[in-house]
Amino acid sequence: MPEPREGQERFVAPIDETPLRAIDAVDVDAVPENQWKEAWKRLRVSPLFWLAAAIITFIGVMIFFPTLFTSADPTRGSLDDSFAPARDGHPFGFTRQGYDLWARTVYGARASVAVGVLTAIFTALLGMITGAIAGYYGGIVDTLISRISDIFFSIPLLLACIVVISVINNTWPNRGFWGSVLVVVVALALFAWPQITRQMRGAVLEVKNLEFVDAATAIGATKMTNLRRHIVPNSLAPVIVATTITLGIFIVAESSLSFLGLGLPQNVVSWGNDLSDAQNQVRSGQHLQVMYLPAIALGMTVLGFILLGEAVREALDPKARKK
Amino acid sequence: MTETQGAQTPLLKIEDLSVAFRAGKEYLTAVDQANLTIYPGQTIAIVGESGSGKSTMAHAVIDLLPGSGQVTGGQILFEGTDIAKTGRDQILALRGSSIGLVPQDPMSNLNPLWKVGRQIKEALVANDVAHGADADRRVVELLEEAGLPDAERRARQYPHEFSGGMRQRALIAMGLAARPKLLIADEPTSALDVTVQKQILDHLDTLTDSLGVAVMLITHDLGLAAERADHLVVMYRGRVVESGPALEILQDPQHPYTQRLVSKAPSIASQRLSSVKARAEIRAQAVEHAAEVAAEVAGSGEEFGEGSNDILVVENLTKVFQLRGSKPWEKTDFTAVDDVSFGLQRGTTTAIVGESGSGKSTVARMVLDLLPITSGRVLFDGVDIKDLGSKKLQLRFRRQMQPVFQNPYASLDPLYSIYQSIEEPLRTHDVGTKKERETKVRDLLDKVSLPTTVMSRYPGELSGGQRQRVAIARALALDPEVVICDEAVSALDVLVQAQILELLNDLQAELGLSYLFITHDLAVVRQIADNVLVMQEGKVVEQASVNEVFDNPREAYTRKLLDAIPGGSIPLASS
């Protein structure tokens, strides 16, 4: 054996410098954490999330306690007050019809957010069920669901809603607040689900081949049990992100429909209707304040939900999650 | 190893190097006052477990530490210049041209959108070695040199058209493209089959010897390190705990950590006669316990099966997959498993050994009834698993045979707490009350030597070895008779591997379990198995007892697998 060269002589470190530890010892003091808890930890320190939460909380209070913000009635007005400037108790003045502008904006949140949230929930449910079935069972079922969703996906959302709502308007003209909301929600959800289906299907395809699913099958779990216990919960993250982001889009869609006179009927207080009324002012260029207020409210709400979606996406991003 | 004459000034000298990572306001030391010397043309190896700081040290040399890491002390002298203190430009000049790197994971280190040739050409152009058509010619030469046949065509292919071994060869070609003086090989073969590992390392040896390139080999396997390098540096918890001539360390380890490595690493342990004796004792106990279980099964008439000695019999098992052909309406048949027959006796272990693609895992999945059988039969304790008509019988069968899978990161549901994971089989089979199930889970955790505090934790917080122990606990929850381990220790560090093998052995002796043990690594087989089935391309090429296979292999393929065990040829001190 050749003599070791300089710097490569035998060296043994003093044992007390690096005492041996048990092989693969468990850190007993650690606090349990799963994906959701970890995500919450990341959300908690995200300024984006707190900004979104502040906006959404503010809107939420406006919806449930409108009287905290205004004592005026949004559906009572006098033409004497048409475009009247702000005065005591009416901080932003009046609309063309003499309604209190601020009260209209505060009460309008209810319809807009109701449509957004309900549509998001319906879409998510529909998309999750179809996506999970397509991804998990595969074969002919998958082909069928995927092709149908492709067809729906290729129809422009607003155009399809215009057609559907026009038809319903003829058969069910006077339907009140919740009836009107329901019609818009159903029309939107009917054409928006394929997006969630695709997300869910992709996630399920990935999860169903993981070994813990095989392990559950080997235990004796049936296909349905496996889907419910392991596959769906592990596929939810991308769907939740997509749903929060689309929520904002649905609110805009409702306003667009109302603006066109097809969303919520005139007698329902909503931002879309107010914007629709205000469009005349754009042409004349006078009294533009009746447009600004609902537009800002709408913009802020959509921003709030989109920021929330963005923050949730960052918190749930598998790349950011520790392995 | 050939000694390079002449050059007596070190090529690389690391003196008291410390590297720390910033975590919030604190600094976590990853490398603590490490020393190391490499002479020109010499191969040295850094050995350590994951988290020992071995890769961090190598990355510090080429200034590739991740963002939060930085050198906090000491020197890195490359040909006499301290590169820890020089500017970025000088490091950039050194990278590639003087110091090359072969990274760890061949799957993620090639750009999937670029042809392999173009990626090597990039290395040539970046280091000003060759340009234009010259560079193209050089790329082909380099690929040929790295041992890729048909190099010209290969250079025009994309990474996905390469196997893992071929990608690693391409990365070696890239690392050596600018003829560096030092090549850092960071676990270059840990993602590959043992036989491919041997081929690639052999080739790397001859290549660097003929080019006179010094190699810094980073590995977790002491056997492999000692076989390839003449100087060893053993790292543990960020410190160099022992260093010196390879043979001396292997035959006379001084530091307790090195002693642990030498005594436990499967590649080295597989040579020892003591492992054979230990296994024989375990089998004797296991068979005795298993016989008691069998007598119970045969006597009761309630239990599943006949209580026969052959707990598992596989007859002419065949699996044919239909692959998409060249035209959409055409299908080609691919026989993944071809006429495989074997038996597993109560209380013993049968190992199925083969390279990836040999069909060994497909056998396991068919035996577990997770994959439909094309032809042949699987008899569990005398009952054909295809004839389990009723749901009730199927569930009874499931109870008797449980799997432990390879990937410790995918085999537990990340959203289930450890308690829920282990309790799941009990819940599925409606065993006991909630309270009884909790007692059982505690008992199982105790059996796999995990503290009960882990019950409320989630898989993401446990190490690979700990998760594998949870998977074993889950497999044992229903008191099965057979456990199928599909590469159950392949993804683990050597010491953890040894620990899990020990645990499996202890459980077998205590409970009289029978194992079907699937692995690509013959080294682990000797410590756990009694019979071996060697598979190649779906067929069984050799079938014998473990000792027979190790001492007197009949097939050339089996000999190839045996030769591939790293460190197998090194004489050990008598122990």
Side-chain angles (χ1 to χ4, degrees):
Chain A
M1 199 183 296
E3 272 301 297
R5 291 187 260 189
E6 197 202 326
Q8 297 195 332
E9 298 87 0
R10 187 69 186 273
F11 163 79
V12 181
I15 290 151
D16 50 349
E17 266 182 14
T18 39
L20 279 193
R21 285 191 193 154
I23 298 172
D24 206 17
V26 181
D27 178 5
V28 191
D29 305 321
V31 189
E33 253 176 36
N34 69 3
Q35 185 194 340
W36 302 113
K37 280 188 201 158
E38 260 181 62
W40 168 235
K41 232 170 96 180
R42 261 199 292 280
L43 270 184
R44 235 173 21 193
V45 295
S46 156
L48 213 60
F49 169 71
W50 286 114
L51 181 61
I55 296 175
I56 293 169
T57 314
F58 183 75
I59 307 282
V61 176
M62 231 155 82
I63 291 168
F64 289 104
F65 309 103
T67 45
L68 288 180
F69 294 87
T70 175
S71 50
D73 184 338
T75 53
R76 261 167 201 276
S78 152
L79 279 175
D80 294 345
D81 290 331
S82 183
F83 294 130
R87 65 169 186 254
D88 218 23
H90 306 276
F92 291 93
F94 295 86
T95 66
R96 171 195 287 268
Q97 302 293 332
Y99 297 129
D100 180 288
L101 183 55
W102 176 235
R104 296 271 318 173
T105 308
V106 169
Y107 280 90
R110 195 175 287 186
S112 295
V113 175
V115 169
V117 170
L118 288 177
T119 315
I121 291 173
F122 272 140
T123 314
L125 282 179
L126 206 58
M128 271 161 49
I129 293 168
T130 49
I133 291 171
Y136 190 51
Y137 289 95
I140 185 81
V141 182
D142 181 20
T143 314
L144 211 66
I145 292 178
S146 293
R147 291 301 82 78
I148 292 173
S149 75
D150 283 348
I151 293 169
F152 276 85
F153 209 54
S154 65
I155 305 171
L157 181 65
L158 272 182
L159 204 61
C161 289
I162 289 170
V163 174
V164 170
I165 295 173
S166 309
V167 171
I168 296 176
N169 275 350
N170 291 335
T171 50
W172 187 18
N174 300 313
R175 47 185 187 257
F177 178 79
W178 287 110
S180 310
V181 167
L182 187 76
V183 168
V184 177
V185 166
V186 168
L188 282 169
L190 197 60
F191 295 95
W193 59 272
Q195 196 188 348
I196 306 290
T197 305
R198 283 186 180 185
Q199 294 263 9
M200 188 70 184
R201 178 177 170 271
V204 167
L205 279 178
E206 206 174 298
V207 173
K208 79 166 180 181
N209 287 320
L210 291 177
E211 284 172 348
F212 61 79
V213 178
D214 278 341
T217 311
I219 281 164
T222 57
K223 279 198 138 187
M224 247 357 246
T225 320
N226 238 333
L227 187 65
R228 188 167 46 82
R229 272 195 204 159
H230 297 290
I231 296 173
V232 169
N234 277 290
S235 311
L236 281 186
V239 173
I240 288 174
V241 172
T243 302
T244 0
I245 290 177
T246 49
L247 209 157
I249 297 169
F250 293 138
I251 294 179
V252 175
E254 179 273 316
S255 296
S256 311
L257 287 171
S258 299
F259 183 84
L260 295 171
L262 284 161
L264 302 170
Q266 283 293 316
N267 56 0
V268 172
V269 183
S270 87
W271 294 333
N273 280 333
D274 285 1
L275 283 171
S276 178
D277 285 345
Q279 65 168 316
N280 297 321
Q281 260 33 67
V282 180
R283 277 185 225 126
S284 64
Q286 286 171 333
H287 306 298
L288 280 176
Q289 74 275 11
V290 296
M291 187 181 70
Y292 290 152
L293 207 57
I296 290 170
L298 177 69
M300 291 299 284
T301 311
V302 173
L303 181 74
F305 282 108
I306 287 184
L307 286 183
L308 179 71
E310 194 62 28
V312 172
R313 190 183 62 76
E314 261 172 38
L316 284 173
D317 187 359
K319 275 177 206 144
R321 219 184 299 154
K322 72 175 177 203
K323 267 258 158 154
Chain B
M1 271 329 100
T2 50
E3 282 288 317
T4 348
Q5 282 86 28
Q8 278 309 316
T9 44
L11 176 69
L12 178 75
K13 198 171 167 71
I14 294 179
E15 283 184 337
D16 294 323
L17 179 72
S18 297
V19 180
F21 288 97
R22 201 177 50 242
K25 280 173 195 148
E26 282 172 80
Y27 277 90
L28 299 173
T29 308
V31 176
D32 193 3
Q33 295 176 27
N35 288 291
L36 174 154
T37 308
I38 308 177
Y39 286 89
Q42 193 186 28
T43 299
I44 74 150
I46 306 178
V47 187
E49 59 197 26
S50 36
S52 64
K54 56 188 196 304
S55 289
T56 307
M57 181 150 83
H59 285 148
V61 172
I62 36 172
D63 197 26
L64 276 182
L65 290 174
S68 60
Q70 64 185 75
V71 173
T72 52
Q75 293 185 306
I76 304 170
L77 299 167
F78 187 77
E79 295 187 309
T81 330
D82 186 0
I83 55 175
K85 293 196 180 67
T86 55
R88 258 201 104 64
D89 296 351
Q90 273 155 298
I91 296 274
L92 273 177
L94 281 178
R95 263 192 221 159
S97 62
S98 295
I99 306 176
L101 173 75
V102 179
Q104 176 167 14
D105 181 7
M107 300 304 161
S108 65
N109 276 302
L110 286 169
N111 184 341
L113 297 178
W114 280 19
K115 286 174 183 163
V116 173
R118 183 173 164 201
Q119 304 190 42
I120 298 170
K121 189 176 167 184
E122 195 193 18
L124 289 168
V125 174
N127 288 304
D128 251 339
V129 178
H131 295 272
D134 258 3
D136 288 329
R137 222 171 305 126
R138 194 78 194 97
V139 165
V140 176
E141 281 170 28
L142 282 166
L143 282 174
E144 262 167 18
E145 189 185 272
L148 270 179
D150 205 1
E152 209 160 330
R153 190 171 59 88
R154 289 292 179 198
R156 289 195 303 270
Q157 287 184 328
Y158 287 92
H160 74 264
E161 296 171 84
F162 278 41
S163 71
M166 282 156 64
R167 287 182 211 200
Q168 199 52 281
R169 283 176 194 273
L171 286 167
I172 289 173
M174 207 184 289
L176 290 172
R179 295 288 176 250
K181 291 173 184 151
L182 173 66
L183 186 71
I184 297 175
D186 187 1
E187 302 252 16
T189 54
S190 54
L192 306 174
D193 268 349
V194 274
T195 44
V196 185
Q197 162 172 302
K198 184 176 161 57
Q199 274 171 23
I200 290 199
L201 290 178
D202 281 351
H203 192 83
L204 190 65
D205 269 356
T206 29
L207 200 58
T208 50
D209 268 1
S210 66
L211 296 172
V213 179
V215 178
M216 186 200 273
L217 178 68
I218 296 161
T219 173
H220 67 281
D221 189 339
L222 184 65
L224 184 131
E227 190 176 66
R228 302 286 165 182
D230 28 30
H231 177 72
L232 289 189
V233 176
V234 182
M235 288 188 75
Y236 180 54
R237 297 171 56 193
R239 283 172 178 263
V240 173
V241 292
E242 190 159 357
S243 66
L247 263 184
E248 235 179 276
I249 288 189
L250 208 62
Q251 292 179 341
D252 181 25
Q254 292 292 319
H255 195 276
Y257 179 70
T258 325
Q259 287 168 351
R260 200 190 245 178
L261 273 181
V262 172
S263 66
K264 295 275 174 68
S267 59
I268 302 171
S270 67
Q271 295 181 56
R272 288 208 189 85
L273 272 179
S274 57
S275 338
V276 179
K277 269 192 224 140
R279 177 64 209 162
E281 272 167 38
I282 283 159
R283 186 181 50 229
Q285 283 181 45
V287 168
E288 197 180 303
H289 278 281
E292 288 165 20
V293 176
E296 243 173 70
V297 171
S300 74
E302 278 283 290
E303 302 280 333
F304 186 90
E306 301 167 348
S308 64
N309 190 33
D310 289 312
I311 186 89
L312 193 65
V313 176
V314 170
E315 287 172 358
N316 312 100
L317 199 62
T318 301
K319 178 71 197 178
V320 179
F321 287 108
Q322 290 209 317
L323 301 182
R324 232 174 279 171
S326 49
K327 301 183 185 90
W329 57 89
E330 272 179 6
K331 295 251 165 94
T332 48
D333 283 350
F334 169 70
T335 309
V337 174
D338 193 356
D339 197 19
V340 169
S341 303
F342 66 90
L344 172 63
Q345 295 191 329
R346 270 180 200 273
T348 73
T349 304
T350 294
I352 305 183
V353 186
E355 296 174 310
S356 38
S358 62
K360 55 190 192 306
S361 288
T362 313
V363 171
R365 293 177 62 82
M366 282 192 284
V367 171
L368 277 165
D369 196 20
L370 291 176
L371 198 68
I373 297 168
T374 307
S375 68
R377 323 197 277 166
V378 174
L379 301 172
F380 183 89
D381 205 359
V383 186
D384 190 334
I385 62 166
K386 256 190 190 161
D387 297 341
L388 305 170
S390 70
K391 267 239 143 70
K392 212 173 139 206
L393 263 180
Q394 269 175 15
L395 274 177
R396 292 255 293 276
F397 158 70
R398 294 278 186 212
R399 288 184 79 145
Q400 302 307 321
M401 181 145 63
Q402 283 294 305
V404 176
F405 290 113
Q406 167 175 21
N407 186 347
Y409 294 96
S411 60
L412 298 174
D413 187 333
L415 296 178
Y416 268 41
S417 71
I418 303 305
Y419 176 77
Q420 287 173 307
S421 278
I422 301 177
E423 191 214 16
E424 192 190 358
L426 299 170
R427 212 152 37 102
T428 308
H429 288 260
D430 274 329
V431 179
T433 61
K434 203 160 180 270
K435 200 130 204 184
E436 284 165 356
R437 290 202 292 263
E438 194 183 321
T439 320
K440 178 87 187 173
V441 172
R442 283 175 189 277
D443 182 46
L444 286 163
L445 281 171
D446 191 47
K447 272 207 177 81
V448 297
S449 334
L450 282 173
T452 43
T453 48
V454 301
M455 286 202 318
S456 57
R457 311 267 282 280
Y458 290 84
E461 305 164 81
L462 300 185
S463 74
Q466 289 160 6
R467 293 183 205 199
Q468 217 53 321
R469 283 191 262 169
V470 173
I472 293 170
R474 176 179 59 188
L476 295 179
L478 295 167
D479 303 310
E481 289 170 280
V482 176
V483 175
I484 299 193
C485 305
D486 188 358
E487 299 270 19
V489 297
S490 305
L492 308 173
D493 264 357
V494 277
L495 286 179
V496 182
Q497 242 182 35
Q499 196 184 34
I500 299 286
L501 286 175
E502 246 167 65
L503 173 68
L504 286 171
N505 266 331
D506 290 348
L507 289 170
Q508 185 168 41
E510 191 189 327
L511 306 169
L513 297 170
S514 318
Y515 292 145
L516 185 60
F517 196 88
I518 319 279
T519 179
H520 70 279
D521 187 2
L522 258 179
V524 300
V525 163
R526 203 164 208 184
Q527 290 163 75
I528 187 129
D530 307 301
N531 294 297
V532 181
L533 224 70
V534 180
M535 280 186 73
Q536 186 185 19
E537 287 170 10
K539 292 195 180 71
V540 176
V541 293
E542 184 158 357
Q543 191 164 6
S545 75
V546 166
N547 294 333
E548 183 77 14
V549 164
F550 267 78
D551 299 335
N552 189 19
R554 274 172 301 157
E555 291 295 317
Y557 183 70
T558 315
R559 275 197 291 277
K560 199 173 124 194
L561 285 177
L562 279 171
D563 284 343
I565 299 177
S569 56
I570 300 169
L572 285 175
S574 52
S575 58

